Amino acid sequence: MLQTWFIVAVSAAYLGLLFAVAHYGDRRADSGRSIINNATVYALSFGVYATSWTYYGSVGWAARAGVGFLPIYLGPTIMLALGWLVLRRIIRISRRHRVTSLADFVSARYGKSTALGALVTIIAVVGVIPYISLQLKAVSLTFATLRRDPGITSAAELSHIPVLEDTGLYAALVLAAFTILFGTRHLDATERHEGMVAAIAFESVVKLAAFLSVGIFVVFWMFRGFGDLFSRAADAGHTTLFTLHGQTGYGSWVWLMVLSMLAIVLLPRQWQIGVVENVDERHLKRVLWMFPLYLLVISAFVLPIAAGGLLRFGPGADADT
């Protein structure tokens, strides 16, 4: 169990670091030395695709449904491999028509229909609000888990948190301030948000390093390598970790893959990063191999962490945490 003041201090320091990176990115842009005019930074910014689901949902899903978590990572890989020419075409059209959102793009392609653009906006808002709420809930649950563990392990218990103690509320306020400072403070809607993109690219590196650190700890510290871990899991009867079963059959596998292929382009944050913030369409070539590699590496320890969790805490524990 960690002390509340320590968790708050570390969180504040990390958020302060993100603000500093964003400020540095904006200053570089103002001086004419763009930090995001770089194929590697552009490819890393695609890492915004990896949200709290990467830490909670993927491991929890693997513990319950085996390799059923993989379509979430395979979909974007297939889309980038097969559809990069379409993505390049979308970027060109968006730049020509000064498009700043998916709604603008759809409207421009169908006679500049205001009604169609409004409909797309409404659908996006309705879809993204519960999505954002899940991210904020994950922040709150993380804080509660770190502060109360090992005395509490149930997600149901963690959900009953008073409003003023809900860290999701404070996270939302901080994120709103970040968006105002580095995302929406400029009147020119076509201006790129270099500080925001720089912070996202930096955070992608942090997310990868954190997940790999946990995976390496589980595999090589708690156990004596992959062989030892998986053999113990098999001996304990957790062989379903390596199969499709339960709630993820082949039909669900295919549809999850299709949805993930669409998500890498059509999720508002992905559209913003992939299309609006693109500086040079040639940077897509780096994304084609670097982002799938990123997904491969970050997913490599999902099954080991799930297996280690089941062995350590038993099937009754909340697999997401």
Side-chain angles (χ1 to χ4, degrees):
M1 180 171 62
L2 299 176
Q3 296 297 319
T4 300
W5 68 266
F6 180 77
I7 301 173
V8 172
V10 172
S11 301
Y14 178 64
L15 289 172
L17 180 59
L18 289 181
F19 272 79
V21 171
H23 180 65
Y24 175 73
D26 277 347
R27 287 190 60 185
R28 284 282 299 262
D30 292 339
S31 64
R33 298 178 297 137
S34 173
I35 196 175
I36 69 171
N37 189 14
N38 180 286
T40 299
V41 173
Y42 179 64
L44 285 173
S45 68
F46 268 69
V48 73
Y49 179 79
T51 62
S52 60
W53 191 89
T54 301
Y55 289 86
Y56 289 92
S58 62
V59 175
W61 195 274
R64 293 186 294 270
V67 294
F69 75 96
L70 282 176
I72 306 299
Y73 298 106
L74 293 176
T77 301
I78 295 173
M79 172 60 81
L80 292 175
L82 302 180
W84 72 276
L85 289 174
V86 176
L87 292 176
R88 186 177 66 179
R89 176 68 173 164
I90 290 174
I91 290 173
R92 289 178 179 178
I93 294 172
S94 299
R95 187 168 293 141
R96 184 184 312 128
H97 294 281
R98 298 171 66 85
V99 165
T100 59
S101 69
L102 180 59
D104 289 343
F105 180 83
V106 175
S107 175
R109 298 302 287 170
Y110 292 93
K112 297 189 181 298
S113 171
T114 303
L116 183 58
L119 177 62
V120 173
T121 300
I122 292 172
I123 293 174
V125 170
V126 170
V128 81
I129 287 177
Y131 193 86
I132 292 175
S133 71
L134 286 175
Q135 311 304 319
L136 295 176
K137 182 180 178 181
V139 172
S140 181
L141 292 181
T142 300
F143 183 85
T145 299
L146 291 173
R147 188 162 63 93
R148 302 180 185 184
D149 187 79
I152 186 167
T153 57
S154 169
E157 293 178 83
L158 290 173
S159 63
H160 298 291
I161 300 173
V163 174
L164 295 180
E165 296 181 16
D166 187 356
T167 49
L169 170 63
Y170 301 107
L173 295 175
V174 173
L175 292 173
F178 185 89
T179 303
I180 292 171
L181 288 173
F182 302 105
T184 61
R185 61 176 174 156
H186 301 294
L187 296 178
D188 184 1
T190 62
E191 183 175 354
R192 294 186 179 88
H193 309 96
E194 304 218 1
M196 180 189 71
V197 176
I200 290 173
F202 173 78
E203 190 180 36
S204 295
V205 176
V206 174
K207 287 187 290 189
L208 180 62
F211 202 88
L212 289 180
S213 298
V214 174
I216 292 171
F217 172 81
V218 169
V219 174
F220 299 104
W221 185 267
M222 293 180 60
F223 301 91
R224 295 191 298 272
F226 289 101
D228 177 52
L229 172 58
F230 290 145
S231 64
R232 290 196 191 186
D235 293 340
H238 299 307
T239 55
T240 53
L241 281 170
F242 315 103
T243 61
L244 278 175
H245 66 95
Q247 54 191 305
T248 307
Y250 291 105
S252 299
W253 176 288
V254 172
W255 280 111
L256 282 172
M257 194 174 300
V258 171
L259 287 173
S260 300
M261 290 173 66
L262 297 175
I264 197 63
V265 180
L266 300 181
L267 277 176
R269 68 177 189 274
Q270 297 297 148
W271 181 273
Q272 180 70 31
I273 290 296
V275 178
V276 179
E277 304 293 348
N278 177 269
V279 177
D280 188 336
E281 66 180 44
R282 292 175 297 181
H283 292 169
L284 268 176
K285 295 180 180 179
R286 183 70 56 85
V287 176
L288 292 181
W289 65 266
M290 189 171 178
F291 182 61
L293 178 62
Y294 181 93
L295 294 180
L296 173 64
V297 174
I298 207 170
S299 63
F301 284 102
V302 170
L303 281 176
I305 292 174
L310 289 173
L311 289 172
R312 175 65 176 82
F313 300 106
D318 180 33
D320 287 342
T321 57

